[in-house]
């Protein structure tokens, strides 16, 4: 993982100014002489900048997006907990982590940070800009912000604006986090049980009735507890708690809610 430090004020769309910015990112392969081989990957809600790890089969050696042919870049998004400035980062003004004091951010803020990194890496053109879900939101926003620099885009499981259904799901997830009585503690593990519940809510939207019936139905019809479907939901929640942070999850779902390409531009 690489880190780009931007030691200047960074103004968010809501007017709040971050004193400085740190961006964690990965690159794979090399930029060719004419800069025409750039593939920039935008990640989803709880992913990180190591896209070769989480997008196996598509990105990596011997894959369609091969680092022997392309210069691949993926940056951790603003507000996440994987190295880019976010709730668990140290606030230079206080010397302590931001935690719940970190300001809300938008998809546009994330792309603005990506653009700073693009400039620092000397990239003039992005041959392919790709992402899914929340990553797709970033791709769409970036195509609006710098249309002359994006040659092609690849989108999956995304939309130009967040739906009322999506906002409702995210609100339910945030309510779960807020119901955890540790949520406002200034501690890296605050809200962990709430995050587990939030992930459980999310899993119900990532799957459907048919999938749960096919994969999680217990073979024993006489069973009265410890159901397979329950164990699966518990496991998914615990797995996320081990690798992510409740403050970032709460913040980033807010970012998705405000995603709408038709919003006024300043």
């Amino acid at each position: 993982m690489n880190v780009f430090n931007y030691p200047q004020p960074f103004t968010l769309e809501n007017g709040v100014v971050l004193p400085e910015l740190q961006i964690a990112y990965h690159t794979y392969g090399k930029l060719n002489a004419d800069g025409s081989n750039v593939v920039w990957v935008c990640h989803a809600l709880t992913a990180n900048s190591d896209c070769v790890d989480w997008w196996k089969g598509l990105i990596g050696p011997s894959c369609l997006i091969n680092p022997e042919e392309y210069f691949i870049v993926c940056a951790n998004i603003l507000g996440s907990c994987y190295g880019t400035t976010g709730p668990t980062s140290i606030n230079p003004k206080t010397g302590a982590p931001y935690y719940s004091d970190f300001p809300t951010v938008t998809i546009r803020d994330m792309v603005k940070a990506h653009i700073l990194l693009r400039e620092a890496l000397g990239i003039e053109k992005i041959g392919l800009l790709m992402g899914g879900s929340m990553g797709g939101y970033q791709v769409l926003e970036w195509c609006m912000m710098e249309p002359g620099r994006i040659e092609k885009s690849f989108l999956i499981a995304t939309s130009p604006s967040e739906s009322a259904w999506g906002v409702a799901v995210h609100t339910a997830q945030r309510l779960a986090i807020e119901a955890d009585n540790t949520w406002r503690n200034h501690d890296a593990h605050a809200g962990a049980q709430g995050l587990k519940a939030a992930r459980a809510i999310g899993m119900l939207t990532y799957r459907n009735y048919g999938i749960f019936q096919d994969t999680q139905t217990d073979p024993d019809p006489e069973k009265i507890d410890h159901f397979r479907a329950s164990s699966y939901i518990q496991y998914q929640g615990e797995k996320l708690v081990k690798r992510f942070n409740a403050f970032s999850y709460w913040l980033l779902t807010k970012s998705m809610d405000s995603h709408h390409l038709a919003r006024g531009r300043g």
Side-chain angles (χ1 to χ4, degrees), residues 44-94:
L45 175 62
T46 65
N48 56 38
S49 60
D50 189 4
C51 59
V52 166
D53 179 63
W54 54 259
W55 214 337
K56 290 181 174 69
L58 180 61
I59 302 171
S62 302
C63 295
L64 183 65
I65 310 298
N66 191 331
E68 293 182 6
E69 182 179 356
Y70 299 103
F71 180 54
I72 306 160
V73 184
C74 184
N76 185 226
I77 56 175
L78 180 66
S80 185
C81 55
Y82 288 125
T84 294
T85 300
T88 57
S89 300
I90 299 297
N91 181 348
K93 291 183 177 180
T94 66

Side-chain angles (χ1 to χ4, degrees), residues 39-266:
V39 175
W40 195 296
V41 182
C42 295
H43 72 73
L45 175 62
T46 65
N48 56 38
S49 60
D50 189 4
C51 59
V52 166
D53 179 63
W54 54 259
W55 214 337
K56 290 181 174 69
L58 180 61
I59 302 171
S62 302
C63 295
L64 183 65
I65 310 298
N66 191 331
E68 293 182 6
E69 182 179 356
Y70 299 103
F71 180 54
I72 306 160
V73 184
C74 184
N76 185 226
I77 56 175
L78 180 66
S80 185
C81 55
Y82 288 125
T84 294
T85 300
T88 57
S89 300
I90 299 297
N91 181 348
K93 291 183 177 180
T94 66
Y98 286 97
Y99 294 135
S100 58
D101 294 332
F102 195 78
T104 56
V105 298
T106 65
I107 301 297
R108 193 174 300 167
D109 292 325
M110 297 171 192
V111 175
K112 184 178 173 183
H114 290 337
I115 292 171
L116 287 177
L117 178 59
R118 174 190 67 71
E119 293 171 343
L121 293 175
I123 295 172
E124 295 296 327
K125 290 280 186 179
I126 297 176
L128 177 63
L129 181 62
M130 58 191 297
S133 188
M134 192 179 187
Y137 290 1
Q138 297 161 57
V139 171
L140 289 166
E141 185 67 43
W142 201 339
C143 288
M144 296 288 288
M145 293 177 71
E146 292 196 308
R149 295 192 187 276
I150 314 299
E151 296 182 341
K152 295 179 182 177
S153 63
F154 171 75
L155 304 166
I156 185 170
T158 194
S159 66
S161 63
E162 187 56 87
S163 65
W165 166 254
V167 173
V169 170
H170 299 153
T171 301
Q173 292 178 300
R174 290 192 296 272
L175 285 171
I177 292 173
E178 292 163 7
D180 185 326
N181 61 12
T182 69
W183 158 235
R184 287 294 180 180
N185 293 353
H186 273 212
D187 180 273
H189 302 292
Q193 290 304 304
L195 176 60
K196 181 178 176 180
R199 185 61 163 186
I201 294 169
M203 291 307 301
L204 297 179
T205 70
Y206 305 151
R207 308 290 186 265
N208 59 37
Y209 176 88
I211 291 173
F212 271 96
Q213 285 295 100
D214 290 343
T215 63
Q216 303 301 329
T217 297
D218 285 282
D220 180 5
E222 301 301 320
K223 201 172 195 180
I224 61 173
D225 200 359
H226 305 298
F227 296 100
R228 180 181 292 179
S230 179
S231 296
Y232 173 77
I233 290 295
Q234 292 275 357
Y235 168 74
Q236 292 296 337
E238 290 165 1
K239 188 167 70 168
L240 184 68
V241 166
K242 289 177 181 177
R243 70 174 180 85
F244 211 67
N245 175 268
F247 294 114
S248 285
Y249 200 91
W250 189 97
L251 181 83
L252 296 178
T253 59
K254 274 279 191 183
S255 301
M256 287 193 286
D257 288 354
S258 66
H259 170 60
H260 199 297
L261 293 182
R263 287 185 298 119
R265 295 175 174 275

Side-chain angles (χ1 to χ4, degrees), residues 2-52:
N2 304 295
V3 176
F4 167 60
N5 290 301
Y6 183 74
Q8 300 179 44
F10 183 85
T11 303
L12 301 172
E13 192 176 357
N14 61 14
V16 175
V17 179
L18 296 175
E20 59 187 32
L21 188 63
Q22 176 177 289
I23 301 173
Y25 69 99
H26 278 73
T27 64
Y28 318 83
K30 295 182 179 180
L31 187 65
N32 62 11
D34 62 1
S36 62
N37 68 332
V38 175
V39 175
W40 195 296
V41 182
C42 295
H43 72 73
L45 175 62
T46 65
N48 56 38
S49 60
D50 189 4
C51 59
V52 166

